[in-house]
Amino acid sequence: MSWKCKKCGGVFFTQTTKGKIIITEMNKKGELKEYEENTINYGRFTCDNCGKKGKSIKEIASWEDE
C-alpha cells in the first residue's frame, strides 16, 4: 500500500517546510545534544521523480492497495 504519483507512478515525495529548532543543550564542539523541532508552515508536495506539485498529496497522487 502506498501513494503513487498520478503522472509518473513515482512513490517518493517531498514537502517543503518552514520551522525552527529550539536548542536546549550543545556539546563543546557545537553539536546539538538536546533540541526541539517546530514546524511553522507546510509547503507543497512534490513528486521526487517527475516534479509534479500540489497543495495536498491527493492532488498529485492516488492511494493504491497493492
Side-chain angles (χ1 to χ4, degrees):
M1 298 180 280
S2 65
W3 288 98
K4 291 199 177 181
C5 178
K6 293 176 182 177
K7 183 176 178 181
C8 73
V11 295
F12 296 105
F13 303 92
T14 303
Q15 183 181 33
T16 57
T17 61
K18 183 178 181 180
K20 65 180 177 178
I21 297 175
I22 300 167
I23 302 164
T24 55
E25 186 178 347
M26 283 191 282
N27 66 17
K28 190 174 182 177
K29 295 178 184 178
E31 299 167 335
L32 303 180
K33 292 189 78 178
E34 288 187 29
Y35 61 94
E36 179 182 326
E37 294 183 53
N38 290 316
T39 301
I40 298 167
N41 187 341
Y42 292 92
R44 293 182 170 264
F45 284 89
T46 304
C47 173
D48 286 349
N49 191 48
C50 72
K52 183 174 178 68
K53 294 183 181 197
K55 290 182 181 178
S56 71
I57 191 69
K58 291 179 180 180
E59 284 185 18
I60 66 169
S62 299
W63 180 257
E64 294 190 9
D65 294 319
E66 298 175 305

